[in-house]
């Protein structure tokens, strides 16, 4: 049974919270025939409503080729159980092989755009439609996109809030320091005057 | 004695590693007369060499006004001891008050651009020169910049690597989930095949 059975839709006005804290993401893409998955440490929200993100994707990657063809991509948030796979798909090209098959990564079709997203080990995904910005794509490898669908594992993100606790360590987000070294975000701290409990 | 006495320069080719894992940053700015500090959760590197970053800064902020005047800003990385201050400077405007004075934040001049950076509680700072990209600034509040100087507290970042351990919890980076709730990045995980130990 895929772990995505634990997934619930995330309201689009809460989508930015999925990547607000800077997790490393997996970018999945497809042109209808070929598909790919790569890791990306450099992404961020740029707007709450409409929900928009920016992600840096090197112009020489197979992923950029697929995104150019389809105008879409998905961001999946790997949990800490996927650090080896995340590092592996971030260190290899999908031009000569199907990395999903090669690394044994099961997928399900995301509900809005139908892109392949990970069937297990991820805490959330965002389905994105590229906003063509040729200059930024060329000059900074920075791709802007609108989030058109989002879902998260209710065991760690529910009602618009992350719920990090000792029971969901495997799903907690990972943050790439470089060279295959990650920090895991799990220790929650609340500022004085914070608006809402986690 | 300011804690910046522990700071050492960071080679510019390693500057991206300071924000590679998505920490919340404090943006400091000055037009020579007025100055400001605000919090920003949305920033990322966009290039290793030359070191370039993108950061989302709302066009209505006083910070944007100061950056427009000077063409420069700094990013300081608050440690976990500064979550209350980070949330406070992220929830107030500097247009009507000097937030450094109001919140009792001591500064030192950064060596390259002379911008005020925090004298204590931060793990690192990056001095940045705006790369004018009017369309992205207008459409996405996204400001691109080149990093022209960087330094870090040698107790937590040395020789181009983060060194998170139980002895430097107060300096560990914080990552905003929303509403004043942060996760602290301290639990280091190494992927199989990782290139270098932390």
């Amino acid at each position: 049974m895929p772990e995505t059975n634990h997934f619930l839709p995330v309201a689009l006005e809460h989508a930015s919270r999925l990547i607000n804290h800077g997790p490393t993401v997996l970018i999945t893409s497809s042109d209808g025939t070929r598909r790919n998955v790569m890791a990306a440490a450099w992404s961020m929200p740029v707007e709450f409503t409409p929900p928009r993100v920016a992600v840096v994707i090197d112009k020489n990657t197979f992923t950029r080729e697929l995104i150019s063809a389809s105008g879409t991509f998905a961001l999946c948030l790997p949990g800490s159980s996927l650090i080896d796979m995340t590092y592996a798909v971030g260190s290899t090209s999908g031009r000569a092989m199907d990395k999903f098959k090669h690394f044994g990564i099961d997928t399900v079709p995301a509900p809005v755009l139908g892109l392949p997203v990970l069937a297990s080990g991820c805490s959330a995904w965002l389905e994105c439609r590229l906003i063509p910005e040729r200059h930024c794509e060329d000059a900074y490898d920075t791709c802007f996109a609108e989030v058109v669908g989002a879902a998260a594992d209710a065991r760690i993100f529910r009602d618009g809030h992350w719920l990090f606790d000792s029971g969901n360590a495997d799903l907690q987000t990972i943050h790439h320091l470089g060279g295959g070294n990650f920090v895991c975000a799990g220790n929650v701290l609340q500022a004085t005057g914070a608006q809402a409990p986690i």
Side-chain angles (χ1 to χ4, degrees), chain A:
Chain A
M1 193 165 73
E3 291 190 22
T4 47
N5 285 0
H6 294 284
F7 271 55
L8 292 176
V10 171
L12 289 179
E13 66 264 32
H14 295 154
S16 69
R17 294 187 191 161
L18 295 172
I19 60 167
N20 202 73
H21 60 308
T24 292
V25 300
L26 299 172
I27 305 172
T28 60
S29 54
S30 171
D31 65 0
T33 306
R34 300 168 301 167
R35 58 183 188 164
N36 199 27
V37 53
M38 68 174 282
W42 299 353
S43 73
M44 62 180 185
V46 301
E47 185 58 86
F48 295 104
T49 304
R52 288 175 169 166
V53 299
V55 55
V56 178
I57 310 172
D58 190 285
K59 61 179 65 58
N60 297 311
T61 59
F62 185 45
T63 292
R64 276 284 288 273
E65 189 180 326
L66 295 179
I67 294 173
S68 291
S70 70
T72 62
F73 61 90
L75 304 179
C76 298
L77 276 59
S80 64
S81 66
L82 296 187
I83 63 163
D84 287 351
M85 187 274 276
T86 300
Y87 186 58
V89 301
S91 312
T92 49
S93 171
R95 221 179 281 280
M97 64 172 166
D98 183 315
K99 286 197 267 185
F100 295 99
K101 279 187 189 163
H102 184 82
F103 293 110
I105 304 166
D106 289 334
T107 65
V108 294
V112 178
L113 298 173
L115 292 162
V117 290
L118 272 64
S120 64
C122 278
S123 57
W125 71 62
L126 301 92
E127 298 179 75
C128 302
R129 203 179 287 284
L130 185 72
I131 303 170
E133 288 288 359
R134 184 66 182 270
H135 170 66
C136 283
E137 293 164 18
D138 286 352
Y140 306 108
D141 285 331
T142 298
C143 301
F144 290 93
E146 181 158 338
V147 180
V148 295
D153 191 312
R155 295 173 297 180
I156 192 162
F157 187 95
R158 204 162 51 237
D159 300 328
H161 295 286
W162 284 102
L163 304 155
F164 294 104
D165 63 42
S166 57
N168 55 31
D170 280 1
L171 288 173
Q172 289 171 11
T173 52
I174 58 175
H175 303 247
H176 194 219
L177 296 173
N181 298 289
F182 296 84
V183 278
C184 187
N187 182 21
V188 177
L189 303 170
Q190 193 169 47
T192 302
Q195 290 160 359
I198 283 292

